[in-house]
Amino acid sequence: MNCVIHRTWLAVLLLLALVAGCGAGSAVSDLGLIVHGGAGRTADVRLTPGQRFSLAVDENTSAGDSWLMPDLPDVMVASFISEEYRAASDEPGAGGIRYFVFNAKRPGTTTVTISNCRRCPADRVPADEQSRRASGEAIFRITVA
């Protein structure tokens, strides 16, 4: 009986350690190869299997930027790890860079589209012409060879 209780506690502690490592507060320290993109631009990214990489876009939420990755790429080619934000400074309104972090998996090609809806309401539809012109997609063509 004592051995069963010990195993149960060990399993609970292991589960808690795994969950704690995956929480929203966890940050990736290794961004790998950083590829910058922006609205209206397409970037080609060439990688080898196992290589970590980040797709980066400038973001300033105080100016109304809101970058999202609506769909994951082909998981056989690149697996998503996390989304990170690094502020340019501690000054209010300074902005920074949003990173979408991945690992290259197997040889192949996939596309990642990251969209910015600038100064958009919750439905992510530009409210006016200025918002529509400032919004757009950053496209990354990922090739693992």
Side-chain angles (χ1 to χ4, degrees):
M1 183 70 174
N2 196 14
C3 190
V4 172
I5 292 171
H6 178 71
R7 285 186 194 150
T8 301
W9 275 109
L10 185 60
V12 168
L13 290 174
L14 180 59
L15 180 62
L16 287 173
L18 287 171
V19 170
C22 298
S26 67
V28 171
S29 61
D30 177 15
L31 297 172
L33 172 71
I34 298 171
V35 180
H36 288 272
R41 298 191 336 227
T42 300
D44 289 310
V45 186
R46 298 198 168 279
L47 305 153
T48 57
Q51 189 173 3
R52 180 169 290 189
F53 65 100
S54 294
L55 307 179
V57 288
D58 292 333
E59 180 176 278
N60 188 335
T61 55
S62 66
D65 286 329
S66 175
W67 287 95
L68 294 175
M69 182 178 58
D71 298 308
L72 292 175
D74 181 348
V75 295
M76 298 302 284
V77 178
S79 63
F80 178 68
I81 297 173
S82 72
E83 182 179 328
E84 306 289 329
Y85 178 79
R86 307 277 165 90
S89 75
D90 292 335
E91 296 297 316
I97 300 176
R98 180 149 315 269
Y99 299 92
F100 297 85
V101 186
F102 297 85
N103 270 336
K105 301 303 269 181
R106 296 184 179 142
T109 302
T110 189
T111 300
V112 176
T113 301
I114 302 172
S115 63
N116 183 24
C117 196
R118 193 154 203 201
R119 294 189 184 114
C120 293
D123 62 4
R124 294 193 57 82
V125 175
D128 55 33
E129 184 61 25
Q130 183 181 12
S131 175
R132 188 189 64 73
R133 277 182 284 156
S135 299
E137 295 179 332
I139 299 171
F140 298 87
R141 283 191 295 246
I142 312 299
T143 302
V144 179

